[in-house]
Amino acid sequence: MSQELDYLSSQIGARRLSRREFLSRATALGVSATLANSLLAAAAKAQVPQRGGILKAGLAGGQSTDSLDPAIAGGLVPAMFGQCWGEMLAEVRPDNSIEYRIAEEISSSKDAKTWTMKIRKGVEFHNGKTLTAEDVVATLERHSDAKSNSGALGVLKSIDAIKANGGEVVVTLKEANADFPYLMTDYHLIIQPNGGKDNPAAGISAGPYKVTVDEPGIRHGGERSANYWQADKRGFADQVEIIVINDTTARISALQANQVHMINRVEPKVVDLVKRVPRVTIQNVSGLGFYDFNMLCDTAPFNNNDLRMALKLAMDREEMLDKILRGYGSVGNDIPINDAYPLFSDDIEQRTFDPEKAKFHYKKSGHDGPIVLRTSEAAFPGAVDAAQLYQQSCAKAGIMLEVKREPGDGYWSEVWIKQPFSTAYWTGRPTQDQMYSTAYLSTAPWNDTHYSNEKFDKLLIEARGELDQDKRKDLYREMAIIVRDNGGVIVPMFNQSIDAVSDMVGGYVGGRGSLMSGYAMIKCWLTA
C-alpha cells in the first residue's frame, strides 16, 4: 500500500490527478480521511511554486457599498481581498494552531492578563514606511474605539491598556484571557500605517499585493509588492484579480470559460454538474460556518421569547440539511458552535421539528398575523429556497410566514442587523470566546440578533479568565443553553464550504473555510 500511496502522491503533485480522484483512490486502499488529507497537503507543499501571470477569482459576496476599511469589512469579497493586501499580527492554521506573522511571538504573564507581542523587524508598508510597534498600537486603538464601528470591537472590549515598548507591544486586559493570541487573528485587524487613523480606506498595509483596482461590487485587483517580507511563501502571481459575480450560474460559466481560476459558493444542488466540468475540481471542507435565521430580540414581535421558541420549533432541520445542503453539512442546534470547536459539549439536547410544541408557544405569545422573513441569495447559497422551505414547515405549525426577497446588492448594509427577521451566514471564529464575543455579547457591534442577557455576558467574561479547561467547558455549555433557549438565532445547519478550482492552479491544500480560508489568492500560483 505504501508504494501505491507514494505513486498517488507523485501524481497529484504533478497535477495528473485531481484532489477528488486522489481521495477516492486513497480511501479505496483503506486510508483514513485524516491521513489522506495530510498526504494531499504534503503533496501540494512539495509542488514547486511558479511565478507570473494574473490569478483570478470569481466570487459571490461583494456589493457596491464595500470599503477597503478593514474595520467595516463584512462580506466575503472585502475579507478575501483584505488578505491580499493586508498583513496580520497572527493567523490561524488549518489545524487551529497559531501562525505568527507581524508578531514574531506572543507571550503572557502567569495570570493571562498581560500579553507581550514581539514585532517583526524589516517589514515595509506599501507606501515605503517601515512597520513599527507604534503602528500596531494605533491599529488596536482604532479597532477598540466604538466610533470605528469595527467588527473586531466585541473581541477587543476586554483591553484595558495598550503601549509600545521598543520593538514590543504590551497589552493589558481587564480580565484574564487564555485565548488572546486568537483574538489577534480577527480578519479586521489588518495592520495599517498609524493604525489607519489617517485614512482607513487607503488600502495600505504590508501584504503580498498593492491595491491597484478598487471598484466595489465589480472588481478588485493588486500587483505584487516588490518589498514583501515573505516573498518565498506568498504572492506568486504577478497580479491578482477578484471579479464580483454574485449570480451562481454566471460564476460557473466564468470558470468553464477560463475567465477565472476559482469560484466560491458552489450551491450543493449543482455540485454534480460542476464535477463534470473538464479540468475543474470541487473543493469542499467542513468547518465552523453556519447559516442562520436572525430575530432581533429588542424588536416586536421578536421581543417575546415564546414567539422566538415557536419559530425555532417550526424549523425542520433535517429537511434543510437534505434539500438545501444535499448532505454537505450537519444539523444545527440554535447555537453558533459545533464539534469543530475546542471545548464543545456534545450532550446538549438536539432540537427537532415539533409543530405541536410550536403551536403551543405561538398561541402563548399572543401574536396574530403574518411574520415577514427577509432573504436574498446574497445571504447564503440557497437562502431563498431555504426561506420557502421554512415557510412550509411554519405553516404546519399554524404560523403564517411571508418571505420577502431582497436585492443582493446592499443586503448586508440595509437588511442584516437592521431588519427584524432575516437570513444570514457566519464563517465562524477560531474559538468559542471569539464567536460569542463578536456576535452575542450584548455590546458587540455585530450582535445581529440584538441579544442582551446579563447572565450570558457575565459567564462569557468568567469563561475567558478560567484556565481550568473542564470548568471552562462547563461555562461554555451553560452559555450555549442560554442562547439556544432564550436567544434570537435559529441555526438549522452548519455548512461545508464548497468551491471549484481550475487545474491551472497549483498549491491548493484546503483549509477550514472557503478557498483555503481566504488565502488561496496569495498562497497559490498558476501552473500554466
Side-chain angles (χ1 to χ4, degrees):
M1 184 175 76
S2 177
Q3 289 182 337
E4 178 65 14
L5 283 176
D6 289 342
Y7 171 75
L8 292 178
S9 296
S10 69
Q11 292 300 293
I12 196 165
R15 304 293 291 177
R16 298 190 187 99
L17 201 66
S18 72
R19 178 180 184 275
R20 184 174 69 252
E21 291 169 332
F22 175 87
L23 292 175
S24 175
R25 291 171 66 171
T27 302
L29 290 171
V31 175
S32 69
T34 301
L35 177 57
N37 277 293
S38 297
L39 292 170
L40 187 66
K45 194 174 281 188
Q47 296 178 46
V48 178
Q50 298 182 29
R51 296 191 176 277
I54 304 175
L55 184 61
K56 299 181 179 181
L59 303 183
Q63 53 187 351
S64 61
T65 54
D66 288 338
S67 169
L68 288 179
D69 180 359
I72 58 175
L76 290 170
V77 169
M80 189 163 175
F81 188 50
Q83 290 169 324
C84 293
W85 64 265
E87 189 58 275
M88 310 284 295
L89 286 163
E91 294 172 1
V92 180
R93 296 189 181 101
D95 64 0
N96 209 44
S97 64
I98 294 288
E99 177 181 342
Y100 295 112
R101 306 290 301 162
I102 295 301
E104 277 190 309
E105 61 182 59
I106 302 178
S107 58
S108 75
S109 58
K110 289 183 179 180
D111 63 1
K113 290 182 69 175
T114 301
W115 291 82
T116 302
M117 296 184 284
K118 182 181 178 182
I119 304 306
R120 190 177 301 276
K121 296 179 180 179
V123 177
E124 186 178 292
F125 285 120
H126 300 146
N127 62 3
K129 179 183 180 294
T130 298
L131 189 153
T132 67
E134 285 75 17
D135 295 306
V136 174
V137 169
T139 296
L140 295 179
E141 285 177 342
R142 186 172 83 86
H143 289 271
S144 300
D145 185 350
K147 294 179 182 177
S148 71
N149 293 314
S150 174
L153 179 61
V155 301
L156 299 181
K157 279 186 171 292
S158 63
I159 292 179
D160 187 46
I162 314 166
K163 67 177 182 179
N165 182 21
E168 297 179 336
V169 172
V170 180
V171 179
T172 304
L173 305 179
K174 298 172 185 175
E175 61 273 333
N177 192 338
D179 288 340
F180 177 80
Y182 286 94
L183 304 188
M184 296 299 98
T185 69
D186 188 293
Y187 72 90
H188 301 92
L189 300 180
I190 289 174
I191 306 304
Q192 297 177 277
N194 195 30
K197 291 180 179 180
D198 303 318
N199 185 0
I204 296 175
S205 184
Y209 293 95
K210 292 182 177 181
V211 176
T212 56
V213 179
D214 179 41
E215 300 175 10
I218 302 173
R219 68 189 183 109
H220 306 272
E223 63 181 13
R224 187 167 56 225
S225 174
N227 297 323
Y228 179 54
W229 68 277
Q230 203 181 34
D232 60 327
K233 302 289 186 182
R234 302 181 178 195
F236 301 109
D238 291 336
Q239 299 176 50
V240 291
E241 183 177 10
I242 293 176
I243 304 170
V244 179
I245 312 176
N246 288 320
D247 181 77
T248 298
T249 302
R251 276 198 309 283
I252 296 172
S253 296
L255 184 65
Q256 284 180 302
N258 293 321
Q259 295 170 349
V260 297
H261 303 106
M262 59 186 78
I263 62 173
N264 68 342
R265 283 194 169 187
V266 176
E267 292 191 19
K269 65 183 179 182
V270 299
V271 166
D272 289 340
L273 174 66
V274 177
K275 283 181 178 179
R276 294 196 291 269
V277 177
R279 303 185 65 183
V280 168
T281 301
I282 286 289
Q283 303 282 358
N284 59 291
V285 293
S286 299
L288 313 171
F290 60 90
Y291 300 154
D292 54 341
F293 293 64
N294 292 324
M295 303 171 280
L296 300 188
C297 297
D298 60 355
T299 304
F302 306 104
N303 54 356
N304 183 307
N305 194 46
D306 278 300
L307 181 65
R308 298 199 297 268
M309 183 58 70
L311 289 167
K312 292 173 183 179
L313 291 165
M315 174 67 73
D316 192 334
R317 299 152 206 278
E318 295 290 349
E319 187 176 40
M320 284 280 179
L321 180 63
D322 179 51
K323 294 184 178 179
I324 303 301
L325 292 186
R326 308 291 178 100
Y328 287 95
S330 58
V331 168
N333 198 22
D334 298 338
I335 56 175
I337 306 299
N338 65 358
D339 59 5
Y341 281 90
L343 306 181
F344 172 74
S345 295
D346 59 5
D347 60 343
I348 298 174
E349 182 183 358
Q350 174 63 53
R351 179 161 289 144
T352 58
F353 177 50
D354 193 330
E356 293 306 314
K357 281 188 179 179
K359 286 179 182 178
F360 168 79
H361 285 283
Y362 184 64
K363 183 178 180 180
K364 189 178 176 183
S365 76
H367 181 77
D368 187 30
I371 294 172
V372 178
L373 171 65
R374 298 172 191 272
T375 190
S376 168
E377 288 300 337
F380 58 81
V384 174
D385 290 341
Q388 292 170 345
L389 197 62
Y390 183 40
Q391 183 182 47
Q392 295 170 19
S393 65
C394 280
K396 295 176 183 177
I399 301 172
M400 187 185 303
L401 189 70
E402 180 183 327
V403 175
K404 184 172 183 180
R405 184 169 183 171
E406 299 282 355
D409 191 41
Y411 185 80
W412 298 107
S413 58
E414 302 301 326
V415 177
W416 180 65
I417 292 187
K418 295 182 179 180
Q419 293 298 332
F421 196 20
S422 64
T423 56
Y425 78 96
W426 281 87
T427 56
R429 292 295 186 270
T431 67
Q432 293 198 45
D433 174 74
Q434 197 170 353
M435 186 66 240
Y436 283 130
S437 296
T438 301
Y440 300 91
L441 181 68
S442 60
T443 54
W446 281 17
N447 181 339
D448 57 2
T449 56
H450 295 193
Y451 185 58
S452 180
N453 185 295
E454 185 177 350
K455 183 178 181 181
F456 175 87
D457 289 354
K458 287 181 178 179
L459 287 169
L460 178 57
I461 293 171
E462 183 181 351
R464 281 179 190 163
E466 181 54 70
L467 303 182
D468 183 300
Q469 296 301 289
D470 290 335
K471 292 180 180 178
R472 201 178 195 200
K473 182 177 179 179
D474 289 341
L475 291 170
Y476 284 141
R477 183 183 187 280
E478 189 174 354
M479 290 161 55
I481 291 173
I482 290 173
V483 170
R484 176 183 179 273
D485 294 343
N486 183 255
V489 66
I490 304 173
V491 182
M493 49 193 165
F494 282 81
N495 63 290
Q496 291 186 11
S497 295
I498 309 176
D499 308 309
V501 181
S502 165
D503 69 355
M504 294 173 64
V505 176
Y508 199 99
V509 296
R512 287 166 63 88
S514 180
L515 294 173
M516 293 174 59
S517 299
Y519 294 107
M521 298 292 282
I522 63 174
K523 291 185 177 181
C524 293
W525 58 86
L526 290 171
T527 61

